[in-house]
Amino acid sequence: MTGLASVFRGLAVSAAAGLLAATAAVPSAQARPEPKAPKEFVALSSVDRTIIQEMRYTTEHNFVGERVDGYRQPLCILTRPAAEALHRAQLKLLARGYSLKVYDCYRPQRAVDHFVRWAQDLADERMKKEFYPRVDKSRLFEDGYIAEKSGHSRGSTLDVTIVRLPAAPTRPYMPGETLVDCSAPRDQRFPDNSVDMGTGFDCFDTLSHTDDPRIQGVQRANRQLLKGTLAEQGFVNLPEEWWHFTFKPEPFPSTFFDFPVARRSVAGH
């Protein structure tokens, strides 16, 4: 029996060794290196350190209500031509006592996929009272608020506003706090430190249309200041969103990237 047991032990050891070798031969998904940005992409801070960055999708204060996939660190990444054009716009605004503030810049495809999954989950309406109080969630695709592809993923699109200097910091959002309609008067909605644009950022409402006739006075002037300053540097506004601009011509007009928003993605650029 002792000899037979030795044989079985030998077979077991050989089988285990073979299994380990086979496992080692198949690279795990986690071991695969993350994609990096092409050399044409840069961190905005390497071009202009004065532009305020409040990257909403690295926080829970957004329409999804949680950190969005692919946002590893709170930084703005753009193609270099877009970043340099934004720097020129910033110089114009600084001379008038204002600063730009970006909410989102390059957006990986995995983040867009996260938005799509969230939009398909009609039961998840935790942030509805602030970001889409008058829109039925089942209509987000039909009404154009959510799509399977985003210009942000091409690297030359950003979401941006204007802040009057000196800029007081925006207070932290506390998960679970009472939400206020994004189109409510400025002194009632979430206290963003930007100038009054008539709605908050990412407000799914027709009041967010840049030239909506209901937006008048100071609010309209603020929108026109943002739009006009950026247009001078080659940015085109999306008419449905006062905060959304794309630099033209885009270096990557038809490529949707998926590298993560992280410093390592643009290290050495």
Side-chain angles (χ1 to χ4, degrees):
M1 293 296 292
T2 301
L4 187 58
S6 297
V7 170
F8 281 127
R9 279 198 298 272
L11 289 173
V13 170
S14 297
L19 179 60
L20 288 172
T23 302
V26 179
S28 70
Q30 292 182 346
R32 293 173 188 160
E34 286 273 26
K36 288 194 67 176
K39 60 181 177 58
E40 291 87 353
F41 283 79
V42 295
L44 175 62
S45 59
S46 70
V47 176
D48 191 311
R49 293 185 177 276
T50 68
I51 296 174
I52 301 167
Q53 299 189 31
E54 187 182 309
M55 310 307 290
R56 286 287 186 89
Y57 299 139
T58 65
T59 75
E60 296 177 68
H61 190 213
N62 58 65
F63 60 85
V64 175
E66 62 188 15
R67 177 189 283 264
V68 177
D69 290 353
Y71 286 87
R72 306 283 176 78
Q73 293 169 320
L75 78 158
C76 170
I77 295 175
L78 290 169
T79 59
R80 183 174 291 278
E84 291 176 346
L86 202 64
H87 167 64
R88 294 192 295 271
Q90 174 73 342
L91 293 178
K92 298 281 189 179
L93 288 171
L94 288 174
R96 300 181 61 172
Y98 295 96
S99 173
L100 292 168
K101 180 174 80 170
V102 291
Y103 294 112
D104 191 35
C105 299
Y106 158 75
R107 179 184 304 165
Q109 181 61 44
R110 69 191 76 181
V112 180
D113 295 342
H114 190 168
F115 291 165
V116 170
R117 292 194 305 274
W118 166 81
Q120 292 170 337
D121 180 4
L122 300 184
D124 183 357
E125 294 190 327
R126 70 188 106 162
M127 303 301 284
K128 179 177 175 61
K129 288 183 179 180
E130 178 172 354
F131 291 97
Y132 53 107
R134 282 168 294 284
V135 179
D136 191 297
K137 193 175 181 183
S138 65
R139 292 187 56 86
L140 292 181
F141 287 102
E142 185 176 350
D143 290 351
Y145 293 113
I146 300 293
E148 294 182 351
K149 294 290 185 182
S150 169
H152 283 272
S153 301
R154 301 194 297 263
S156 296
T157 295
L158 67 152
D159 296 331
V160 61
T161 189
I162 293 175
V163 175
R164 183 75 183 182
L165 296 174
T170 297
R171 73 160 174 82
Y173 166 76
M174 303 300 294
E177 69 175 78
T178 300
L179 302 177
V180 178
D181 185 339
C182 57
S183 65
R186 184 171 184 253
D187 61 352
Q188 297 177 26
R189 61 181 185 260
F190 184 81
D192 190 294
N193 65 356
S194 68
V195 300
D196 188 4
M197 293 291 189
T199 77
F201 165 61
D202 261 356
C203 189
F204 294 1
D205 193 285
T206 54
L207 277 172
S208 294
H209 293 188
T210 306
D211 294 320
D212 188 288
R214 293 168 292 177
I215 301 297
Q216 294 294 327
V218 173
Q219 298 171 341
R220 189 173 191 85
N222 288 336
R223 291 188 183 189
Q224 293 306 312
L225 175 60
L226 176 63
K227 180 180 178 180
T229 303
L230 291 181
E232 289 177 356
Q233 306 305 327
F235 288 94
V236 177
N237 174 241
L238 179 68
E240 290 77 20
E241 298 177 350
W242 60 257
W243 57 82
H244 181 117
F245 292 84
T246 299
F247 177 74
K248 301 286 187 176
E250 294 183 65
F252 300 99
S254 58
T255 305
F256 298 86
F257 295 95
D258 194 38
F259 57 85
V261 177
R263 292 180 183 87
R264 65 166 298 279
S265 295
V266 290
H269 292 196

